[in-house]
Each structure stands twice: as structure tokens, then as C-alpha cells.
Amino acid sequence: MSLLPLDTARFELRPLTARDAALYVALYTDPAVMRHVVEPLDAAVARQAFSKVESFSRNGSRGYRTWVVVEKASGREIGLLALVAREGMHEIGALIWPEWHNGGVATEIIRRLMDFAFSEDGCQIVFTRHQAENRGAEGLMRKLDFERIPAEGHRDGGVRWERTRARWQHATGNAMKQGKT
């Protein structure tokens, strides 16, 4: 089954395709983008990683799905958003060009991806990780009602956050809409 596009008020989230290699490599090799993630990748390593990720997308993998974030008003590709099956849960990851930080982009796109994961994909838990010094990511996770997992995420100076389907249903009223209480 092929990956479907998702929409928000300001952004189209379109499935990653072979034509997105340059964007992927540019994001993963940019020191400013990768500052709170990991060391920037070498271009050759980023191209190899892209080939693998694009094949998952092309083959309809439910284990690793990636969307390109496109601003509707301009058509500009501003980042990547992923939903990756790990540890019996699904990790949400986003890479956004720095000039788009602090404008509500991550809030809007991650909220939409959570809605997809819980209501359309059947996920029970989504999680995310970031470096401890990334206060912006911490504020974002609190805003999106993720719960910090104190026993997790301390590897490599990281912090881990989770949001359960039940917590999402309670906050959005989707338990009633889906006939679940």
C-alpha cells in the first residue's frame, strides 16, 4: 500500500520520492539542522541513507514512512517528517530548515502526524527523542502533551517523550468519535 499525502492548514506532507534526494542530503549534512540531533552526515553517507529510506517509501513500508513538508502558499520544501516503527511503538522525527523554526511548523505537522498515527494507522504509542540541551524541543513536546519518560533517553545525552493513544483520545475527544470509552 502506498503512502498517502497528509495536509495541515499551511502545509502539504507529501510522500518522499526519488526526486527528493537533494533535499534529504542537504538537510542531513547541514550543521545548523543537525545541531540538536546527531553530527551532520557526510554527503556520501546521506545519499546512501536516502536510497534506503526512499526504497521504504517506494515499496510502501509501514515500518519507515517519510513525508516532505511543503509550504502550500509558496510550494517551498521546508523539511522532512517521519514515522518509524521501533521498539513496538512509533517514533516521530522531523528535520526543518532553521529559518522555519519558532513559527509553529513543528507543532502543526507533528500534531497532524499524531492524528494520522493514532486515528488512521492504529498506533498505541508514539515517541520522540532530542538532546537534553534542546529547550525548544522540550517546549514543543510539552505543548503537544507528550510525557517525559525519566528512565529513558539518557543515552548520549538524550531525552525521550511519549504520547499514548488513550491520552490523545482523551485530549481530542476521539474516544467518543471512535466508539471507545
Side-chain angles (χ1 to χ4, degrees), residues 152-163:
E152 294 288 336
H154 297 289
R155 297 170 282 174
D156 304 321
V159 178
R160 181 179 172 127
W161 299 81
E162 291 182 0
R163 180 117 188 241

Side-chain angles (χ1 to χ4, degrees), residues 95-143:
L95 292 179
I96 306 296
W97 289 117
E99 61 266 26
W100 290 87
H101 291 185
N102 301 314
V105 175
T107 302
E108 190 172 329
I109 64 175
I110 291 172
R111 187 171 282 140
R112 176 60 183 105
L113 191 56
M114 274 194 307
D115 288 347
F116 168 79
F118 290 132
S119 69
E120 301 171 43
D121 199 50
C123 293
Q124 295 302 310
I125 298 174
V126 294
F127 72 95
T128 187
R129 298 177 284 185
H130 65 80
Q131 294 298 314
E133 72 275 1
N134 189 345
R135 297 295 177 218
E138 181 173 339
L140 173 65
M141 293 302 100
R142 291 186 191 287
K143 183 178 185 177

Side-chain angles (χ1 to χ4, degrees), residues 55-75:
S55 75
F56 291 143
S57 188
R58 185 174 11 91
N59 295 320
S61 170
R62 287 181 51 91
Y64 202 119
R65 293 170 282 184
T66 306
W67 291 264
V68 174
V69 181
V70 181
E71 184 193 33
K72 289 179 181 177
S74 68

Side-chain angles (χ1 to χ4, degrees), residues 6-13 72 108-110 112-113:
L6 304 173
D7 272 335
T8 73
R10 297 182 296 158
F11 304 101
E12 174 191 0
L13 309 175
K72 289 179 181 177
E108 190 172 329
I109 64 175
I110 291 172
R112 176 60 183 105
L113 191 56

